[in-house]
Amino acid sequence: MTIGACARALERNPQLAEWIGEAGHDLIGHGWRWVENSEMSEEEERDDLHRGIATIERLTGERPLGWYVRSFPSTRTRALLVEEGGFLYDSDSCNDELPWFADVGGAPFLVVPYSKVYNDVRYLLNPTYGTPRHFFELLRAGVDYLCEETARGETPKMMTIGIHERWTGQAGRTSALRDFLEYVLGRSDVRLMRRP
């Protein structure tokens, strides 16, 4: 899986950072701290990026291949990622379900959108999930539809599911994720993947 984390949070929880590295999960950089990039100066944003990369690499043993900011990227976020180099993609876009290429200085740069459609943030945003069952049913319906399209000969699609420990990590809500994973693991036409 791909885990998004602020570098400072990983510093405060080194056991988690070690586990991510040992388990072979992908870690997408989520900044040095959880701040609003759209409110930073260019130098502040560049410093946040450099500190985040260095900290993640030191703690997990791997440099992040992807990046996404807390809420809103600045007008220069993607250009700073390209300037830095070493990134395969960013996930700052929420405008699609499928990856696409953005033009950055005349060169293509991969964007793997972070969709809010299949996301547990709906526990807090109106209209909310009334129960974990609603979240599970939405996830299952999405997979079923995409698999039906593929069975009809259409190109297979990607489905991003956003999970946060502070929402789905709650005992009463974890069942939705458990049930969904059991459901897709029982299907031969679904593949679980990291982002890159």
Side-chain angles (χ1 to χ4, degrees), residues 76-196:
R76 64 192 163 267
T77 299
R78 191 168 286 141
L80 287 172
L81 295 176
V82 171
E83 172 189 294
E84 172 64 26
F87 287 103
L88 299 179
Y89 68 98
D90 79 55
S91 289
D92 283 324
S93 175
C94 298
N95 66 346
D96 206 335
E97 288 291 314
L98 301 176
W100 52 278
F101 286 96
D103 182 298
V104 181
F109 185 72
L110 182 62
V111 177
V112 182
Y114 179 69
S115 172
K116 301 287 195 282
V117 175
Y118 304 108
N119 196 300
D120 65 359
V121 74
R122 302 262 24 127
Y123 281 118
L124 299 179
L125 300 177
N126 200 12
T128 64
Y129 300 127
T131 71
R133 210 77 212 135
H134 295 145
F135 188 34
F136 167 72
E137 290 169 4
L138 176 68
L139 298 177
R140 183 182 61 198
V143 164
D144 289 348
Y145 189 87
L146 293 174
C147 290
E148 288 168 13
E149 282 186 338
T150 303
R152 290 192 306 264
E154 295 184 35
T155 303
K157 307 290 190 311
M158 179 179 120
M159 181 175 161
T160 296
I161 301 168
I163 302 296
H164 300 80
E165 74 287 345
R166 59 194 178 274
W167 298 318
T168 293
Q170 301 297 316
R173 295 176 177 163
T174 302
S175 63
L177 180 59
R178 179 203 60 211
D179 294 349
F180 178 71
L181 288 172
E182 288 175 358
Y183 178 70
V184 295
L185 289 172
R187 295 188 66 130
S188 62
D189 53 353
V190 174
R191 181 173 173 198
L192 299 177
M193 302 174 61
R194 298 167 16 149
R195 278 174 115 54

Side-chain angles (χ1 to χ4, degrees), residues 16-51:
L16 175 62
E18 184 178 341
W19 173 80
I20 291 168
E22 289 176 357
H25 297 304
D26 170 48
L27 192 137
I28 184 172
H30 205 19
W32 158 245
R33 294 186 62 210
W34 210 37
V35 296
E36 291 294 347
N37 286 58
S38 60
E39 297 175 3
M40 296 173 138
S41 71
E42 183 172 346
E43 285 310 310
E44 289 171 330
E45 188 172 7
R46 186 178 281 113
D47 181 61
D48 183 79
L49 178 65
H50 290 163
R51 290 177 76 184

